[in-house]
Amino acid sequence: MPAKVGRILSGVEEAAESSKLWCAAAVVMAAVGGSRGRVSAAAGLSALVVAQVLANGVAKRVVDRPRPPKELIPHDEVEDRPDSSSFPSGHTAAAVAFTAAVAPSWPRAAAVCALPAAMVAAERVQSGAHYPSDVAAGAAIGLAGAWLVRHTPRMLLRRWVPGTAWWG
């Protein structure tokens, strides 16, 4: 991979660290998108939290997989890896969860978020922080988090108050 691409991916990952990128996207959506933007932002951030709990709070504790061997990573970025379990990628889970949860109410905003989400996923493998299967599992957890956020409130409301809907 060319060094310039690696630097771009690293910059996007740094912006996504601690969910800064997704929080900033939510602020912009809420500010410029009216009620659709507020709903999208709330759904995205809620899904991100669910995915982070599932990935980092549950899966990483259950599957204690070591990071890829340092000798396989041909750059210095390998020294910045966390010590936690490699499986799954929490960064990818958060990125996919946010993007997938935004999509039903604001598809164009989700399309804009999809590029940095894909870049975060690619960077996690490129940097040596994760195996591709860790990223795939993170993406699946992100999709599950988005699904839960988009469907659980509606299911609960239907049970308690027939005829109501929440978040579209």
Side-chain angles (χ1 to χ4, degrees), residues 21-35:
L21 178 61
W22 313 117
C23 289
V27 167
V28 171
M29 285 182 215
V32 304
S35 65

Side-chain angles (χ1 to χ4, degrees), residues 19-168:
S19 301
K20 295 179 296 222
L21 178 61
W22 313 117
C23 289
V27 167
V28 171
M29 285 182 215
V32 304
S35 65
R36 176 176 64 175
R38 290 186 296 278
V39 166
S40 298
L45 291 176
S46 298
L48 182 147
V49 168
V50 169
Q52 289 286 14
V53 167
L54 292 173
N56 297 326
V58 177
K60 279 188 185 286
R61 296 177 192 274
V62 173
V63 181
D64 189 19
R65 182 181 193 181
R67 302 277 173 176
K70 289 182 179 184
E71 50 276 359
L72 296 180
I73 314 305
H75 51 75
D76 293 339
E77 201 170 313
V78 73
E79 299 302 326
D80 294 335
R81 302 184 310 175
D83 293 329
S84 62
S85 173
S86 179
F87 186 90
S89 169
H91 285 81
T92 303
V96 170
F98 184 87
T99 303
V102 166
S105 56
W106 201 354
R108 286 187 182 172
V112 171
C113 292
L115 179 60
M119 292 172 78
V120 165
E123 188 281 337
R124 301 314 289 158
V125 174
Q126 176 270 328
S127 69
H130 291 284
Y131 293 99
S133 58
D134 301 337
V135 171
I141 289 170
L143 290 172
W147 186 91
L148 285 169
V149 164
R150 283 301 195 165
H151 291 90
T152 301
R154 192 175 302 147
M155 290 185 297
L156 292 174
L157 281 175
R158 284 185 187 145
R159 177 177 216 144
W160 294 328
V161 186
T164 62
W166 190 47
W167 288 3

